[in-house]
Amino acid sequence: MLTAQDALDRLKAGNERFATNVRSLDSLLSHARRPDMIETQNPFAIILGCSDSRVPAEIVFDQGLGDLFVIRVAGNIVAPSQIGSIEFSAARHGTRLVVVLGHSQCGAILATIEELGRRSEDQSRNLRSIVDRVRPSVEALMETEIARNPVELVRRAVRNNIRMSVNQLRHGSEVLEQLIQDEGLRIVGAEYSLETGVVEFLDS
Ligand SMILES: [Zn+2]
């Protein structure tokens, strides 16, 4: 199993290929390895990403079959089922890197900002459960000067939301805390740019 640093380096190299329109032969041919993965899997990184159709983890990191354990949910929020999925892969597969992957112009952030402006009654309870988890990242900015600049507000809220998910994962699970302390698990935030295709890692 790769260390967290090696896994991070591999993701960075893969994104560099993606952003420059190159694909590795290994990723392209990875479906040929399918028979070897029937009994087992060894994903080298866990990605908690947004469901946005423009940010599929395997593609933006140029990885293949069996490489990434991916959880996708609008707004890359952390709820118990996301934590459970990450605990499962980290404990079962020995995966040592978790990346929370947010992105520019995230619809969940935009919806939350809109919601704070005017509370809509017709929002379903299910959608509200996502907006409620994003809300603290936006609310913190609403009291500041940034709220007057819509572009900057979205940009900062996206980053806050990524950092909030990272913190929730780092401190919201005894299993993950123990793996961080004893086994070298790392949880990092990253932001994908729809404009450039580049993933910027926020704290590594
Ligand atoms: Zn999104």
Side-chain angles (χ1 to χ4, degrees):
M1 182 45 58
L2 292 185
T3 64
Q5 187 59 50
D6 288 346
L8 200 55
D9 291 344
R10 189 167 161 186
L11 289 180
K12 285 178 179 173
N15 177 247
E16 209 172 298
R17 290 194 298 274
F18 170 77
T20 50
N21 290 316
V22 181
R23 284 214 70 182
S24 81
L25 208 53
D26 200 45
S27 305
L28 281 171
L29 298 178
S30 67
H31 60 270
R33 296 199 304 265
R34 185 179 52 77
D36 306 329
M37 296 180 206
I38 296 167
E39 304 290 339
T40 182
Q41 58 171 317
N42 288 300
F44 74 85
I46 300 166
I47 314 286
L48 170 61
C50 182
S51 302
D52 194 300
S53 65
R54 299 164 292 181
V55 197
E58 287 87 348
I59 295 179
V60 305
F61 287 120
D62 188 32
Q63 300 300 320
L65 203 65
D67 287 333
L68 303 177
F69 189 92
V70 181
I71 302 122
R72 288 178 71 181
V73 56
N76 40 272
I77 56 160
V78 172
S81 57
Q82 276 84 52
I83 298 177
S85 301
I86 292 167
E87 286 177 351
F88 174 80
S89 185
R92 178 70 64 91
H93 308 129
T95 314
R96 289 296 169 253
L97 178 68
V98 180
V99 178
V100 174
L101 181 63
H103 65 97
S104 59
Q105 302 300 327
C106 181
I109 304 290
L110 297 170
T112 304
I113 290 172
E114 202 174 292
E115 167 78 7
L116 284 170
R118 91 187 140 70
R119 206 171 176 81
S120 67
E121 297 302 326
D122 54 355
Q123 198 174 53
S124 82
R125 191 163 53 89
N126 303 311
L127 182 55
R128 186 170 294 279
S129 76
I130 293 174
V131 168
D132 282 347
R133 286 180 193 276
V134 175
R135 181 175 296 139
S137 304
V138 182
E139 269 176 346
L141 298 167
M142 285 311 223
E143 308 300 317
T144 69
E145 282 291 302
I146 295 157
R148 296 184 194 190
N149 180 340
V151 175
E152 187 64 10
L153 177 62
V154 173
R155 210 179 67 80
R156 296 282 284 270
V158 163
R159 296 223 159 183
N160 273 2
N161 186 54
I162 294 166
R163 291 204 167 96
M164 195 171 74
S165 288
V166 168
N167 280 334
Q168 283 168 336
L169 291 177
R170 282 179 184 161
H171 305 294
S173 154
E174 278 177 31
V175 174
L176 297 182
E177 268 184 47
Q178 186 259 318
L179 288 169
I180 290 169
Q181 219 164 44
D182 304 334
E183 306 289 343
L185 179 77
R186 268 175 77 183
I187 303 175
V188 302
E191 183 184 347
Y192 173 76
S193 164
L194 293 182
E195 294 79 7
T196 64
V198 171
V199 172
E200 184 184 343
F201 287 86
L202 301 185
D203 43 11
S204 60

